[in-house]
Structure formats: C-alpha cells, structure tokens
Amino acid sequence: MDRINKRILQELRSNGRLSNTELADRVGLSASACLRRVQELEKANVISGYRAIINTNAIGQGFTTYVSVGLNEHSLASQHAFEQALMYVEEVKECHNVTGTFEYLLRVETADIQAYKAFHGDVLGSIPQVRTITSHVVMASPKDERK
C-alpha cells in the first residue's frame, strides 16, 4: 500500500462517484495508470464495493441508538440464534460481536423514540437469547465518516 494507493482510497472514500479522469488528476496519475490501480485495489478486495449514503432524516429513520446486548449464555449456538434473529430486521443497521461486559453492539435507526420503544420491546425483547439491553441514544454526531 503505497502513498498513491492511500490517496486513491482517500479520494474514493470522500466521493465514490469520481470519474477515473478526475481521480487520476487528483492523485497525479495518468487515467490508464489510475484505472489499473483502482482495478488492482478492487481485485485485492481492498475496495469491496461502492454505495449511496442515505440521509436517514429524509427517509424517516433519523433517530439513532446504539444498543448493547448481553446474552443468556455464551455458546456459539446462542450467538448464532441471536444473529439470525436480527439478520433481516430493518432497524438494525449494524451488528457487532464485541468483547467486554456484553456480547453485541447494535446501531439501530428508527423514526423516533416511540418507534425505538416498539423495536426494543417487540423485537429485541422477544429474542429468547437476550439477557440485557442497554440503549445509548445519539444526541449528535460531530464525526461520522459513514456520511
């Protein structure tokens, strides 16, 4: 990973829709050399995809909560069952298995506190493996590189 590849990644992280010509200009390469490097980064799975960044307020999901979840038992079967229970839950945007005093950290997006309360009780509260739920409501995000 040389300086130019790091710069390519930085530019694409800021704007994944840059044309190859503009990207090449920004990193100081010819268009063909830049394209070759981007393709190599994609092939090596350094760049694993491109996506649109959605304004959650505009789609009615502007209420963000980080939720720590402790499980009843520490078995792989319990972890797998919990993960499967959340796999297609729309409100759960991220699910991370972590170390520490709880097993999972979730990023949950809902319309408002009432919608979160329903999610808390109807979804998380109904999963048999769940022992504890601790909610951390996001009040502001002074740095968020996903946006």
Side-chain angles (χ1 to χ4, degrees), residues 55-129:
N55 176 345
T56 55
N57 289 318
I59 62 169
Q61 291 187 328
F63 187 82
T64 303
T65 309
Y66 284 88
V67 183
S68 56
V69 177
L71 302 183
N72 289 325
E73 58 183 65
H74 301 289
S75 68
L76 288 176
S78 182
Q79 289 180 353
H80 181 71
F82 175 76
E83 291 169 9
Q84 287 303 307
L86 292 184
M87 197 57 60
Y88 300 103
V89 175
E90 179 184 343
E91 295 90 348
V92 177
K93 303 305 180 188
E94 296 178 28
C95 175
H96 305 279
N97 183 226
V98 298
T99 62
T101 58
F102 51 89
E103 285 76 31
Y104 288 90
L105 181 64
L106 312 177
R107 181 170 57 86
V108 176
E109 294 177 354
T110 59
D112 51 31
I113 188 76
Q114 291 81 15
Y116 176 73
K117 182 178 178 184
F119 164 83
H120 184 281
D122 298 341
V123 178
L124 286 182
S126 70
I127 299 173
Q129 293 76 22

Side-chain angles (χ1 to χ4, degrees), residues 33-71:
C34 184
L35 181 59
R36 196 168 33 255
R37 281 182 179 253
V38 169
Q39 289 171 335
E40 288 171 3
L41 290 166
E42 291 171 343
K43 186 175 180 181
N45 206 30
V46 174
I47 298 173
S48 58
Y50 300 87
R51 64 187 178 104
I53 298 170
I54 309 299
N55 176 345
T56 55
N57 289 318
I59 62 169
Q61 291 187 328
F63 187 82
T64 303
T65 309
Y66 284 88
V67 183
S68 56
V69 177
L71 302 183

